[in-house]
Amino acid sequence: MALIIGFLLVAALGIAHQFGLRGVRALKPNPNEAPQRAIAIAFLGLLALHMLEIVAFAAIYRGLLHWGALGSIGTGQEMDWGQLVYFSGMNFATLGYTQIETSGPIRLVSMMQSLGGFMVLTWSATFLYTVSERAWRE
């Protein structure tokens, strides 16, 4: 069950990320006309997009922990919002290397978030590289 939940969350992440990239693309100016601004807006847009994705996963972890059927994160005590955002962000950005232990099936959701984070971070890096390459073209 946890693996299916994780898979569905990563699928939703990918779909949402695609629309987020479209939004960033629409906000940034033409790299040929305003190269430095295009890079800065792309970077800041991606930063905001990734923060939204991290916060969304933190909210999902809160719901899953409240449900209680998938195990626990940390000491088993209720985690505050800051701890959930930290846990989600570390999973998202470092392939699951956190100082907070998970137990039970929720580990599979955490593992899937790490996979999804790796996928969308590399996707975003490619996007930013493309914007930069166009802006720096001589």
Side-chain angles (χ1 to χ4, degrees):
M1 175 67 126
L3 192 57
I4 293 169
I5 291 170
F7 181 88
L8 292 173
L9 289 172
V10 172
L13 172 66
I15 292 166
H17 194 75
Q18 176 189 5
F19 286 105
L21 285 176
R22 284 181 167 195
V24 171
R25 185 175 168 214
L27 288 174
K28 73 168 184 50
N30 183 334
N32 296 327
E33 296 171 7
Q36 299 309 312
R37 216 170 69 220
I39 294 168
I41 290 172
F43 180 84
L44 293 173
L46 291 172
L47 178 62
L49 177 59
H50 289 296
M51 282 306 302
L52 283 172
E53 293 163 347
I54 288 166
V55 168
F57 262 92
I60 290 164
Y61 283 124
R62 175 173 270 176
L64 292 173
L65 291 171
H66 183 68
W67 180 34
L70 295 180
S72 64
I73 298 173
T75 61
Q77 308 268 332
E78 186 170 335
M79 293 183 70
D80 67 29
W81 182 245
Q83 290 171 311
L84 287 171
V85 171
Y86 170 80
F87 178 77
S88 176
M90 293 303 287
N91 270 333
F92 189 86
T94 64
L95 294 178
Y97 177 73
T98 69
Q99 299 164 337
I100 301 172
E101 295 292 322
T102 58
S103 63
I106 202 162
R107 293 177 301 155
L108 297 173
V109 176
S110 172
M111 183 253 332
M112 290 300 294
Q113 184 196 10
S114 296
L115 175 61
F118 174 75
M119 292 171 72
V120 298
L121 285 169
T122 55
W123 190 0
S124 292
T126 302
F127 177 83
L128 186 58
Y129 174 81
T130 301
V131 171
S132 298
E133 191 272 329
R134 288 181 184 154
W136 293 334
R137 196 178 299 154
E138 293 181 345

